[in-house]
Amino acid sequence: LVWEGQKKNRLPLMGLASISAGLGAITRVEGFIFWGLLALYVAFCRTPRIPIKRKALSVAILVIIFPILLSPILLSTKRDTNHIAVGEMTSFSINVIRENMRAILRPGDPIARINTEDYKSLPPLTKDALELGIRHRFILAVFEVIYKFIKSANFLIVLILLGLWKRKREGFESSDWYLLVVFTGLFIISASYARQSYYFSTRHGLTLVLPCLFFAGHGLDFIAERFSRGLDHLTSRWNIIKKYLVHFLTLIIIIPFLAQGLSFKRSDKFIQKEVGLWLKEKSYQGSVIMGPKQLLRLAFYADGTFLEMPDSWEKAVEGIRKNGVRIMVVDSCTIAEDCPGFLENWSRAGLFPVKAFKGEKEKCVIQIYGGP
């Protein structure tokens, strides 16, 4: 919307961009930062056809339309109508930015979040990794973002690089620079996030892939051009292939992604979601959940605290009593290796079976046990 609004000099598109950016801003603080980056782009982008006053109006609309539309809602929720909703929202936004900037500039020490006994029980390799993370926080965050970007792009990274090379050879246009500015802004936000939280999933890397899809398209064109030259010696019967070569190549690329997405190999994630939501629905929300590391995801959906199951039953019993574990989840196929002694002793420790979950294509069962 920002790009089209700039190119076509249409203020309604800027208004829609303000609404879209505002919704992103109240969803995550990164959205607020990105909103600011877009406003700076509109303000400083070279647009000879647009006079300064018109550009200033575009920036103003991009920045204030969403707060103006949101103000009546905030005002209607206030008992004291003397409060100005716009000012209240502005002060709230400034406070949120200030708090997050403090966390970004001075991220917490991960070791300080761990109590002394738990830290001493960690393997030496984990301790060394934490120390390394503290000393080289920013460098590790940058490499983590790069790694997750490449992992999210999959083999599209080849098309993206070819497309960048093709556009550079032809000469970058304003649309190319806009996408590069967007990518740079997202990269900085992502690196700051990884540096602050020590966590960055592949779906965050996917956000960086989105502005690069344009260059992936040019990379596909580049490959099609090379293939087309190789088909020049073929007869006229092959003309349809030459004419729709880009479309055929696109299908070839899409089919593996569809096959992966529609396969049942990763149905374990759906089962974990089902288990987590079931626990949340049955009033186990916020519970301490113990289980093998591969079942970590279900604690997220249950809004619970996950505690990794120790490698022996004796340690597991101690952890249950010490941490107030309310739920234990086990994988029937791996429990004998995950926690030797569990199958023989769970009933003696006061645990009781609650429910079992099994996917349609799965051989293994996720068994839920209630704590003493």
Side-chain angles (χ1 to χ4, degrees):
L1 288 169
V2 169
W3 168 250
E4 289 294 321
Q6 277 283 92
K7 185 175 68 172
K8 297 178 180 178
N9 192 17
R10 295 183 61 186
L11 296 180
L13 292 178
M14 285 296 179
L16 291 173
S18 178
I19 296 172
S20 180
L23 291 172
I26 62 176
T27 303
R28 298 185 67 91
V29 70
E30 295 95 322
F32 200 101
I33 297 171
F34 194 62
W35 192 1
L37 289 172
L38 291 175
L40 290 174
Y41 173 82
V42 174
F44 295 101
C45 179
R46 294 181 180 180
T47 48
R49 299 180 294 103
I50 304 177
I52 297 297
K53 291 183 179 180
R54 184 78 171 184
K55 181 180 289 189
L57 183 59
S58 296
V59 175
I61 288 176
L62 177 62
V63 172
I64 69 172
I65 285 295
F66 182 76
I68 289 175
L69 293 176
L70 191 64
S71 295
I73 300 174
L74 294 177
L75 192 60
S76 65
T77 61
K78 297 294 295 183
R79 293 181 180 178
D80 184 3
T81 56
N82 292 326
H83 286 83
I84 301 176
V86 175
E88 188 175 278
M89 193 187 75
T90 303
S91 62
F92 170 77
S93 301
I94 292 174
N95 291 334
V96 169
I97 293 173
R98 185 187 298 120
E99 292 173 5
N100 280 274
M101 287 305 295
R102 287 176 182 172
I104 290 173
L105 296 175
R106 294 182 180 179
D109 185 343
I111 296 179
R113 302 174 189 172
I114 308 173
N115 62 55
T116 305
E117 294 183 3
D118 288 341
Y119 180 74
K120 289 181 179 179
S121 65
L122 293 174
L125 181 62
T126 304
K127 293 180 181 178
D128 293 341
L130 287 172
E131 294 287 348
L132 180 68
I134 292 173
R135 290 197 302 268
H136 305 287
R137 191 189 301 260
F138 183 74
I139 295 174
L140 288 175
V142 169
F143 276 100
E144 175 70 4
V145 173
I146 294 172
Y147 165 69
K148 289 298 172 63
F149 165 62
I150 295 174
K151 186 176 180 180
S152 297
N154 209 304
F155 60 80
L156 286 179
I157 192 67
V158 176
L159 296 180
I160 292 170
L161 293 175
L162 285 175
L164 280 168
W165 178 77
K166 182 176 182 290
R167 296 298 285 172
K168 184 178 183 302
R169 190 181 62 175
E170 296 172 351
F172 283 128
E173 298 180 1
S174 57
S175 57
D176 302 315
W177 288 116
Y178 174 75
L179 291 172
L180 291 174
V181 167
V182 170
F183 178 83
T184 303
L186 290 172
F187 188 92
I188 293 172
I189 293 171
S190 300
S192 300
Y193 182 76
R195 176 177 178 268
Q196 174 188 350
S197 64
Y198 287 87
Y199 170 76
F200 195 73
S201 76
T202 307
R203 65 176 175 270
H204 297 134
L206 181 62
T207 307
L208 296 172
V209 176
L210 297 179
C212 295
L213 291 178
F214 174 80
F215 297 106
H218 283 283
L220 190 64
D221 282 338
F222 175 81
I223 294 176
E225 290 172 3
R226 293 297 182 273
F227 269 104
S228 181
R229 293 177 185 177
L231 297 176
D232 285 341
H233 64 282
L234 298 177
T235 62
S236 58
R237 289 184 301 176
W238 297 88
N239 283 341
I240 188 172
I241 294 180
K242 291 178 61 178
K243 185 178 180 180
Y244 297 103
L245 185 58
V246 173
H247 302 79
F248 287 126
L249 290 175
T250 303
L251 285 175
I252 292 172
I253 291 174
I254 289 176
I255 287 173
F257 282 108
L258 287 177
Q260 183 183 13
L262 296 175
S263 68
F264 293 94
K265 294 180 180 179
R266 307 194 70 180
S267 59
D268 59 314
K269 290 188 176 182
F270 297 102
I271 296 175
Q272 290 190 44
K273 181 177 181 179
E274 180 185 353
V275 174
L277 294 177
W278 183 87
L279 289 171
K280 188 175 181 179
E281 181 184 345
K282 298 300 180 181
S283 302
Y284 290 108
Q285 181 178 3
S287 301
V288 179
I289 301 172
M290 178 181 283
K293 189 175 181 180
Q294 63 267 24
L295 299 180
L296 169 65
R297 179 180 293 266
L298 63 85
F300 168 79
Y301 293 107
D303 289 339
T305 302
F306 187 82
L307 192 65
E308 186 174 352
M309 182 178 287
D311 57 1
S312 70
W313 171 246
E314 292 75 15
K315 294 180 182 178
V317 172
E318 183 181 352
I320 292 171
R321 295 170 181 171
K322 181 180 176 181
N323 298 283
V325 175
R326 192 180 176 194
I327 291 293
M328 287 197 71
V329 293
V330 302
D331 187 326
S332 62
C333 293
T334 62
I335 183 59
E337 293 78 21
D338 293 334
C339 185
F342 175 86
L343 295 174
E344 296 81 8
N345 298 290
W346 64 265
S347 58
R348 301 176 187 175
L351 299 178
F352 55 92
V354 176
K355 189 175 177 63
F357 293 83
K358 182 180 180 181
E360 295 180 1
K361 301 291 183 177
E362 299 291 330
K363 296 179 180 179
C364 304
V365 176
I366 295 180
Q367 179 70 53
I368 310 294
Y369 293 90

